[in-house]
Amino acid sequence: MEFQNLADLYGLPAVEWPTVVAELGTGIPQAPGSGGPNRHTCWLATINRDGRPHVTGIGAMWHEGAFWFETGAGTRKGRNLARDPRCTLSVAADHFDLVVEGEAEHVTDRATVAELAALWAVDWPCTVDESGTALTAEFSAPSAGPPPWQVYRINAISAVVLQIDPGGATRFTF
C-alpha cells in the first residue's frame, strides 16, 4: 500500500489506515438515529451508459477488508455494474469521511453469499434464495428493486480519508 499525505501543507499528520479499518470494523450503523449526523449513509457512484455518473444511497457493510452491498440486477446501479464494474463508494463515519474507488465484483460463491446473508440478517431478515447465489427477503430498500438481490464486493484500488479530529487527509493506493 502506498499513501500520500494530502494535508502535509497544513502540517497535519497522515491518517493511519489501521485507524480507519478499526473504526470500520465497529460497524457503520445506517438506521436513523444510529450514528453520524443522525445516521451514516453510504453513497455508490456507478457509470451510466452515456458516461454520466449515477449516485445512489445504499446499505453497505465492511467485512474482511472490503465493502459489500446488494442490489437487484434490474436496478440502474445493477445494470451499470454489469456493463462497467468501476464504482466509487463514499461514507461519512463518526471520525472521518471516506471515498473508496474500485471495481464491484458480483459474488456468486454460495458459501460467501450465505456468510454475508447471515451478517445482514442481524439487522435485516434476509436469506439466501433458491439458487444459493443471491438474497431474498420480504422487503429491502426501494432502490434495491425486487428480489433476488445480487451480492457485490468492492475491490478497492484507492481511498481518500478526510479525518475530522485532529484533522488530516490521506490518499491510499492499494
Side-chain angles (χ1 to χ4, degrees):
M1 174 188 321
E2 296 178 14
F3 74 93
Q4 177 186 4
N5 183 354
L6 302 175
D8 190 42
L9 72 152
Y10 299 113
L12 295 170
V15 178
E16 299 289 332
W17 185 248
T19 302
V20 174
V21 170
E23 184 165 335
L24 292 173
T26 66
I28 306 169
Q30 296 173 49
S34 63
N38 190 27
R39 65 182 165 78
H40 301 296
T41 299
C42 296
W43 298 96
L44 181 72
T46 59
I47 303 168
N48 283 321
R49 183 174 300 284
D50 65 1
R52 288 179 303 118
H54 172 255
V55 179
T56 187
I58 64 165
M61 172 175 39
W62 178 260
H63 177 64
E64 293 188 354
F67 280 103
W68 300 78
F69 67 95
E70 48 76 26
T71 194
T75 63
R76 184 184 298 189
K77 62 187 163 291
R79 292 189 315 268
N80 285 349
L81 292 170
R83 190 185 64 263
D84 186 339
R86 294 177 296 168
C87 64
T88 301
L89 181 83
S90 304
V91 63
D94 283 331
H95 300 104
F96 55 81
D97 295 334
L98 174 65
V99 177
V100 175
E101 295 180 0
E103 293 191 357
E105 173 189 357
H106 177 200
V107 177
T108 58
D109 175 73
R110 291 170 184 256
T112 303
V113 171
E115 177 183 359
L116 271 290
L119 293 171
W120 272 310
V122 171
D123 296 314
W124 167 50
C126 69
T127 59
V128 177
D129 77 349
E130 292 178 7
S131 74
T133 63
L135 305 177
T136 190
E138 290 186 30
F139 65 89
S140 185
S143 65
W149 298 294
Q150 299 174 329
V151 174
Y152 290 87
R153 177 184 197 267
I154 297 178
N155 298 312
I157 296 167
S158 66
V160 173
V161 180
L162 303 173
Q163 186 170 270
I164 296 167
D165 186 25
T170 304
R171 176 185 308 279
F172 297 92
T173 305
F174 306 104

